[in-house]
Amino acid sequence: MKVANLINEVTNIDSFKSYGKVTRVVGLTIESKGPQVSIGELCYIIIGKAPKRKVMAEVVGFRDEMVLLMPFTTVHNISPGSLVEATKKPLEVKVGSGLIGHIVDGLGQPLNGLELPNGLSSFPTENSPPNPLSRPRIHEPLSLGVRAIDSLFTVGKGQRMGIFAGSGVGKSTLMSMIARNSEADVNVIALIGERGREVRDFIERDLGEEGLRKTVVVVATSDQPALMRIKGAMTATAIAEYFRNQGLNVTLMMDSVTRFAMAQREIGLAIGEPPTTKGYTPSVFAYLPKLLERSGTNEHGSITAFYTVLVDGDDMNEPIADAVRGILDGHLVLDRKLANKGQFPAINPLRSISRVMNDIVDPTHRFAADHLRQLLAIYTDSEDLINIGAYKRGTSKEVDEAIQMYPNIIQFIKQSTDEKVSFNDAVYKLIKDFSKGE
């Protein structure tokens, strides 16, 4: 069978290569006359004299009879007349179990300059989401080791959650806690548009050796071209899809989907798309569901995904936050006011939700979580009166109970970064402390 496949591949190999020529460079895009290619196809731009250098680029559009290309690196030394070689295929990356523990760039190449291990296979970076009818329903919780999430916003295997927060409210710290404590078989972490300084800080300080041991990290820093940041998100998702197809439970974390959207806006504006809401182009809102729907369950395994969303000025209704919230299966809102009080993780239980929780937990667990949120809501509504001393005990039985339980609620939600809490322990404590009537 293998020989037959090999003969078939050899038969289908093109006996010639297609070339075009660069005519001009405009901003982020390169125009060439030819070759005959299609959208998303990988090309090489050949530059310099001997020894010649090949620059990878992708076909992003067409204008009249010209091909619009966008390079994965800078456009230095590309000149009119440079040859453009077609590859007849999209970008593929090397994946396999040997990739676990490695840190790669948006093209799947190791960042430390070492060779990738042997035994990896090629896998396309852009794939279609699973057929909706072939997706198994989410029926089993995934322990994340974070008490507030496991008890109040239980996440199922294959669920997709958003982490919404402004800058400096603890997104990276929460992601590192999930990576270290989660019961997933493999973690895939995509750092998209991050500051270069923060990459090593996250890997060595937040993630640590324990977390990296079962993690693949994909990095596309903010100084890299927009296309590279797009490919970083696609590559990380493809790696997670590969492990899912092996029957594993994968946790995919992407920080952040906002910077993915900003990179796609750059590309859209460069090829002539009209700006719409807050300058975002229509392709941004077309690509978001294509990316986010690729995670989740399929007939082999699951990808439980966490996508961080940067909200400008803590505005939850800005365009990207609004679009992502409508696609995902729930969201965790990190509140700056709570972070300023020293409450970490700074999850706001009254603004967060898991849309799958009611299907995967028992009624006792659900009622206890609802009761905690009810107590917190009552306290929050009366907080101003309580703080200025205007509320008199005995006026309301519900407010009295909320005041009494408030310190326990805060203590329950708070968790240090090095504290690991099992799912069963988190649920037991929730039911023990906050079951109604106990």
Side-chain angles (χ1 to χ4, degrees):
M1 185 68 180
K2 290 183 178 180
V3 175
N5 290 339
L6 185 61
I7 292 172
N8 186 49
E9 286 185 18
V10 172
T11 305
N12 292 329
I13 291 176
D14 286 338
S15 56
F16 62 91
K17 291 183 177 180
S18 300
Y19 290 93
K21 281 190 176 183
V22 172
T23 56
R24 68 174 182 166
V25 177
V26 181
L28 302 175
T29 59
I30 299 167
E31 290 188 11
S32 75
K33 190 169 184 180
Q36 189 169 350
V37 288
S38 57
I39 293 285
E41 190 172 315
L42 186 67
C43 293
Y44 289 108
I45 301 172
I46 303 170
I47 61 175
K49 299 178 181 178
K52 295 183 181 295
R53 187 164 63 92
K54 289 185 175 182
V55 173
M56 295 174 68
E58 185 177 290
V59 180
V60 294
F62 305 97
R63 183 177 291 127
D64 299 327
E65 296 183 0
M66 295 297 178
V67 178
L68 300 181
L69 300 153
M70 193 162 283
F72 291 106
T73 57
T74 56
V75 295
H76 296 314
N77 300 324
I78 296 175
S79 58
S82 295
L83 289 179
V84 179
E85 178 185 320
T87 64
K88 304 295 183 186
K89 61 181 182 181
L91 177 69
E92 294 183 341
V93 292
K94 296 288 185 181
V95 292
S97 58
L99 196 62
I100 298 173
H102 283 73
I103 303 161
V104 299
D105 65 13
L107 303 180
Q109 299 301 314
L111 273 179
N112 54 11
L114 301 177
E115 293 291 327
L116 290 174
N118 295 325
L120 303 181
S121 53
S122 295
F123 196 78
T125 59
E126 299 203 28
N127 302 291
S128 299
N131 186 313
L133 296 183
S134 71
R135 287 183 185 263
R137 293 187 63 189
I138 299 169
H139 56 82
E140 186 179 355
L142 176 68
S143 175
L144 300 176
V146 181
R147 184 167 47 238
I149 301 176
D150 284 343
S151 58
L152 300 177
F153 311 102
T154 308
V155 173
K157 291 180 180 178
Q159 186 174 350
R160 301 158 307 144
M161 293 284 284
I163 300 176
F164 292 74
S167 56
V169 189
K171 297 185 303 299
S172 298
T173 305
L174 181 59
M175 284 173 54
S176 68
M177 289 175 68
I178 293 171
R180 287 197 308 270
N181 301 339
S182 153
E183 288 185 351
D185 300 312
V186 182
N187 298 313
V188 180
I189 299 178
L191 302 177
I192 308 301
E194 281 286 341
R195 292 178 284 270
R197 175 189 61 80
E198 292 186 339
V199 171
R200 190 164 183 175
D201 284 349
F202 175 80
I203 293 169
E204 295 184 0
R205 181 192 63 201
D206 296 332
L207 192 58
E209 288 186 15
E210 179 189 356
L212 188 59
R213 201 172 294 124
K214 64 171 187 176
T215 302
V216 181
V217 182
V218 181
V219 177
T221 51
S222 59
D223 60 296
Q224 293 180 315
L227 188 60
M228 196 69 161
R229 282 172 269 149
I230 293 286
K231 289 302 171 189
M234 296 296 184
T235 295
T237 307
I239 293 171
E241 287 172 326
Y242 171 84
F243 288 118
R244 177 179 64 185
N245 292 343
Q246 308 305 306
L248 301 178
N249 293 314
V250 186
T251 297
L252 170 65
M253 287 170 275
M254 187 176 296
D255 184 16
S256 70
V257 73
T258 305
R259 295 189 180 114
F260 167 86
M262 289 177 174
Q264 182 57 43
R265 176 173 64 182
E266 284 184 44
I267 293 173
L269 292 173
I271 62 176
E273 281 190 74
T276 54
T277 312
K278 284 200 173 180
Y280 288 102
T281 56
S283 63
V284 172
F285 301 100
Y287 269 96
L288 279 174
K290 288 181 181 178
L291 174 71
L292 303 178
E293 287 287 352
R294 286 171 61 180
S295 54
T297 58
N298 72 357
E299 61 271 25
H300 305 294
S302 68
I303 299 174
T304 307
F306 295 87
Y307 299 96
T308 69
V309 180
L310 292 168
V311 286
D312 296 333
D314 297 326
D315 177 16
M316 287 289 293
N317 295 316
E318 65 97 24
I320 300 304
D322 200 41
V324 171
R325 191 168 57 244
I327 299 168
L328 299 180
D329 307 317
H331 52 269
L332 303 170
V333 177
L334 303 188
D335 195 318
R336 191 176 300 279
K337 290 181 180 178
L338 299 179
N340 291 339
K341 292 178 181 178
Q343 180 180 319
F344 292 99
I347 298 170
N348 187 328
L350 302 180
R351 300 178 65 194
S352 306
I353 189 172
S354 169
R355 295 194 178 108
V356 177
M357 178 176 174
N358 289 348
D359 297 330
I360 59 176
V361 301
D362 59 63
T364 307
H365 179 177
R366 186 168 69 249
F367 293 150
D370 289 343
H371 187 221
L372 184 150
R373 279 191 290 268
Q374 182 183 17
L375 289 172
L376 188 59
I378 291 170
Y379 183 90
T380 303
D381 288 344
S382 306
E383 188 171 17
D384 290 341
L385 293 175
I386 296 168
N387 289 339
I388 65 175
Y391 174 77
K392 293 182 180 180
R393 287 185 180 274
T395 306
S396 167
K397 182 181 178 182
E398 289 81 7
V399 176
D400 288 346
E401 184 187 7
I403 293 171
Q404 180 185 349
M405 295 299 294
Y406 183 72
N408 294 341
I409 293 172
I410 299 305
Q411 194 60 39
F412 180 82
I413 294 172
K414 288 175 73 170
Q415 182 177 339
S416 63
T417 56
D418 56 353
E419 180 186 359
K420 183 175 181 179
V421 181
S422 71
F423 179 84
N424 290 335
D425 287 346
V427 175
Y428 173 78
K429 184 170 177 58
L430 174 74
I431 294 173
K432 175 176 171 290
D433 294 349
F434 300 101
S435 283
K436 203 164 187 176
E438 290 189 18

